[in-house]
Amino acid sequence: MKFIHLTDPHVISGGLPLYGRDPAASLAAAVADINENHSDAEMVVITGDLTNWAEPESYETVAGLIEPLSMPPVLLLGNHDDRPNFRGVFKDGMDDGSGFVQGSLKTTAGTFVFLDTHEPGSAAGTYCETRSAWLEKTLAETEGPLFLFMHHPPFAVGIAYMDAIALREPERFAEIIRPHAVRIRHLFFGHLHRAIAGSWLGIPLSNMRGTNHQVWLELTGRLDTIRTGPEQPAYGIVFVDDDRVLVHMHEYQNDGPDHAFAPPAGVSDRDYATKLKD
Ligand SMILES: [Fe+2]
């Protein structure tokens, strides 16, 4: 099966720029690119920070921007979101029965489990006892492969100012996950505005660049400044088979020209390659 992982669009209302980019235009371009090139994807999972300031108008803007998607979206919350304002616009959003934007979905690839790590007033994430109880029950009731989706990573990545706002009490969360780790095929997350891959508790993981601004790789430990990165916006195209999970990062706003694989007749490989222009 195939689905799309998109994250951190940080939409604002009024058509204003955010950190030098246009978040609404960038999300609109992603939606158009997904519809044009990946209409066979089963869903688009957006792992939080749907908006930047979480006003109702921002959620209305998000709703308008993703409405053209030709496949269903699954919306998670991040630290830049607001649960009541989200619900005011996305009335069919997930609800775990306690008001958190969580849920599980059976797919042909296994059970997708979507988590809510949002904590009002905090940039860091939280996974409280109520949510933990829901997750323990949900995991216990499922059989077969699992895929986890969340905004905040439950581990440090070495970028100090982002690690300071990762998931709080990650060990408690890890204790819930650990008994099921062997059947969790992948963990998808957002928050970091960078592409990172690796594993945690033996679980393969990846996140994705945001569709607006990116975070510079800063491994010096400084906490005073978050530098935005020069990387292009991207979303992920995910293929899941019995024997592989494959995540492509797609910089969908690249408008570079196509180059024919072979040079025209009578032109050497060297001349062709060195004289091409971007
Ligand atoms: Fe974000």
Side-chain angles (χ1 to χ4, degrees):
M1 65 98 71
K2 174 181 178 182
F3 69 94
I4 303 296
H5 177 204
L6 188 150
T7 198
D8 293 80
H10 284 251
V11 167
I12 58 179
S13 59
L16 296 169
L18 180 70
Y19 304 120
R21 292 179 176 271
D22 183 335
S26 197
L27 180 57
V31 167
D33 195 76
I34 291 165
N35 281 346
E36 183 178 345
N37 298 297
H38 305 294
S39 60
D40 55 339
E42 292 192 17
M43 70 189 88
V44 177
V45 183
I46 307 182
T47 48
D49 283 0
L50 306 172
T51 73
N52 196 64
W53 289 303
E55 319 96 321
E57 314 85 67
S58 298
Y59 286 107
E60 284 162 10
T61 304
V62 172
L65 291 168
I66 64 175
E67 197 276 332
L69 278 172
S70 59
M71 66 291 293
V74 179
L75 305 179
L76 280 66
L77 299 188
N79 48 295
H80 281 266
D81 290 303
D82 178 274
R83 213 173 276 119
N85 286 351
F86 167 81
R87 290 216 183 280
V89 174
F90 294 101
K91 300 187 191 315
D92 296 332
M94 292 183 288
D95 191 327
D96 66 357
S98 299
F100 295 105
V101 184
Q102 305 195 116
S104 65
L105 181 68
K106 286 218 175 350
T107 77
T108 54
T111 304
F112 285 18
V113 181
F114 307 107
L115 307 181
D116 180 346
T117 58
H118 170 75
E119 173 70 10
S122 167
T126 296
Y127 210 67
C128 62
E129 288 185 13
T130 303
R131 281 171 275 192
S132 297
W134 174 87
L135 180 56
E136 284 180 317
K137 184 167 181 291
T138 298
L139 295 177
E141 289 174 351
T142 59
E143 292 180 350
L146 293 162
F147 296 80
L148 290 187
F149 299 82
M150 60 201 297
H151 182 73
H152 294 84
F155 43 79
V157 300
I159 303 173
Y161 42 66
M162 297 307 291
D163 290 343
I165 56 170
L167 189 74
R168 290 188 183 128
E169 301 184 278
E171 260 313 309
R172 193 173 73 159
F173 182 75
E175 288 309 308
I176 300 169
I177 296 299
R178 197 169 271 117
H180 304 277
V182 292
R183 64 190 181 102
I184 300 175
R185 295 193 61 193
H186 205 90
L187 166 64
F188 296 88
F189 59 102
H191 193 48
L192 296 172
H193 294 245
R194 293 195 60 76
I196 297 176
S199 66
W200 170 72
L201 306 180
I203 303 165
L205 61 84
S206 63
N207 72 344
M208 192 48 57
R209 290 183 194 160
T211 55
N212 191 61
H213 51 287
Q214 316 305 330
V215 168
W216 179 249
L217 181 62
E218 174 75 63
L219 299 175
T220 61
R222 63 190 264 184
L223 285 161
D224 59 335
T225 310
I226 294 181
R227 191 192 297 181
T228 53
E231 298 89 347
Q232 288 296 305
Y235 65 79
I237 301 136
V238 186
F239 292 92
V240 182
D241 300 315
D242 288 344
D243 58 358
R244 66 170 186 166
V245 176
L246 193 63
V247 184
H248 290 285
M249 185 180 72
H250 180 42
E251 296 172 309
Y252 57 93
Q253 289 179 311
N254 175 16
D255 58 357
D258 290 339
H259 296 154
F261 186 67
V267 178
S268 73
D269 276 349
R270 182 176 290 266
D271 280 351
Y272 178 61
T274 57
K275 289 174 182 170
L276 279 173
K277 294 197 169 39
D278 284 339

